[in-house]
Amino acid sequence: MSDLERRYLRLLRAYPADYRRSRGAEIVGTYLDLAAPGRRWPSTADAADLLRGGLRQRLRAAGVASLTPGVRLAALLSMVTASVLAGVWGTTELHPANIEWGVPHVGPFVSIGVIAWAGWLLAAIATAVASRRVARLAIALALLLTVALPLLAAVLDAFRPPLFVLLPQVMLGLLALALPDRPATAVRLAPLLSAVTAVAATEYLVRPGDGLTYYGFTALSFLPAVGGLLLVVGAVLAMALAIGGDTRGGWALVTLLTPAGFLAVPALGDAIDPIRGDVSFAALATSTIAVALAGPAVLLLTILARARLTLTINRADRHYPTSGAQS
């Protein structure tokens, strides 16, 4: 056995044992036939393809084959939400008079947050007109700009959006990286059209002295409302798809619990430690940690519950193979 074959077999462990026994030799043989002469290590593309295929087969064996399509649907809704928020915050950045009295401005803008929001609007444009690779790079750049804002603000001694505004954007962006490879035209255009609508609506609604800022009314009402709307849209899609026996909407809804929870952090913090006109840092930190633990835990428990149900059904079919025919 060559080193290359041995390494392909190690990668094949990503697949379930039954699948390896029935198809393993065929899969490894195909990769070996396509490998260049003298090659000793699998290519990065081959390794990624094997790991991706193994994960897909394990999900199918566990009865959660719709998880991946569900995550992709959640990625679309997340990208639309991130684009809407970028449109709202980016437009608000152009109205320094709307920020609380006494907060310094950054040139003609409210804060250096305008850098991140411009990045997200660029990502929405790239999603609409560019290839999937370019679109993902644009989303990754917007994520990097958002994560870098606190450090940049500290270096420049400049005002920035609060963390409870930035963290939901990061979570939405991370999920948006899972956008499908070949989306329909309507899917490609949805984030950009949503961003343009948000910009126009915010520009029309925002007036000097209005309450739409990074704090105050926005902190306690706007972000949680966006999170709630995201879950409502996810629930409606889940019910509509379930009518046709499609379970990906349900998986999308469970996946969206985490970003929606981060959007609700200000309201959760206010419920934990209500302070008139503000939310304490300790309450915000507690809410953030709770959401960061609860959201992924619910998704994991749902996967495990579905896998256990599938295992129980399979065992019943093996013990009573004719029950389906008799019924």
Side-chain angles (χ1 to χ4, degrees), residues 75-194:
L76 170 62
L77 296 176
S78 292
M79 186 60 196
V80 168
T81 306
S83 301
V84 167
L85 290 174
V88 171
W89 296 132
T91 307
T92 303
E93 284 280 348
L94 302 176
H95 296 272
N98 286 277
I99 211 71
E100 283 81 358
W101 182 86
V103 174
H105 303 156
V106 179
F109 307 111
V110 170
S111 76
I112 62 171
V114 67
I115 299 172
W117 310 133
W120 284 106
L121 294 176
L122 177 63
I125 295 173
T127 301
V129 302
S131 65
R132 291 300 88 199
R133 181 174 178 274
V134 173
R136 287 195 178 99
L137 287 175
I139 295 172
L141 175 61
L143 272 169
L144 180 62
L145 291 173
T146 307
V147 172
L149 276 185
L151 178 60
L152 186 61
V155 171
L156 299 177
D157 192 23
F159 182 58
R160 61 163 173 79
L163 292 178
F164 60 75
V165 171
L166 299 178
L167 280 176
Q169 197 76 14
V170 170
M171 297 307 302
L172 291 167
L174 288 173
L175 189 51
L177 288 172
L179 281 171
D181 292 329
R182 300 178 185 84
T185 302
V187 172
R188 295 168 64 95
L189 292 175
L192 179 58
L193 293 177
S194 300

Side-chain angles (χ1 to χ4, degrees), residues 285-296:
T286 301
S287 301
T288 300
I289 293 172
V291 170
L293 295 175

Side-chain angles (χ1 to χ4, degrees), residues 220-291:
L220 300 180
S221 302
F222 178 67
L223 286 175
V226 172
L229 181 60
L230 177 61
L231 290 182
V232 168
V233 172
V236 171
L237 283 174
M239 289 187 290
L241 292 171
I243 293 175
D246 190 341
T247 59
R248 60 179 171 150
W251 289 113
L253 180 60
V254 177
T255 305
L256 288 170
L257 289 176
T258 299
F262 275 95
L263 285 165
V265 159
L268 295 173
D270 185 57
I272 293 174
D273 185 16
I275 301 177
R276 185 167 183 171
D278 201 356
V279 183
S280 70
F281 177 80
L284 289 173
T286 301
S287 301
T288 300
I289 293 172
V291 170

Side-chain angles (χ1 to χ4, degrees), residues 275-325:
I275 301 177
R276 185 167 183 171
D278 201 356
V279 183
S280 70
F281 177 80
L284 289 173
T286 301
S287 301
T288 300
I289 293 172
V291 170
L293 295 175
V298 171
L299 177 59
L300 178 59
L301 289 174
T302 305
I303 293 173
L304 293 176
R306 177 61 182 174
R308 186 174 182 83
L309 176 61
T310 301
L311 180 61
T312 301
I313 293 174
N314 290 340
R315 285 175 176 173
D317 288 342
R318 284 195 295 267
H319 283 90
Y320 307 100
T322 61
S323 59

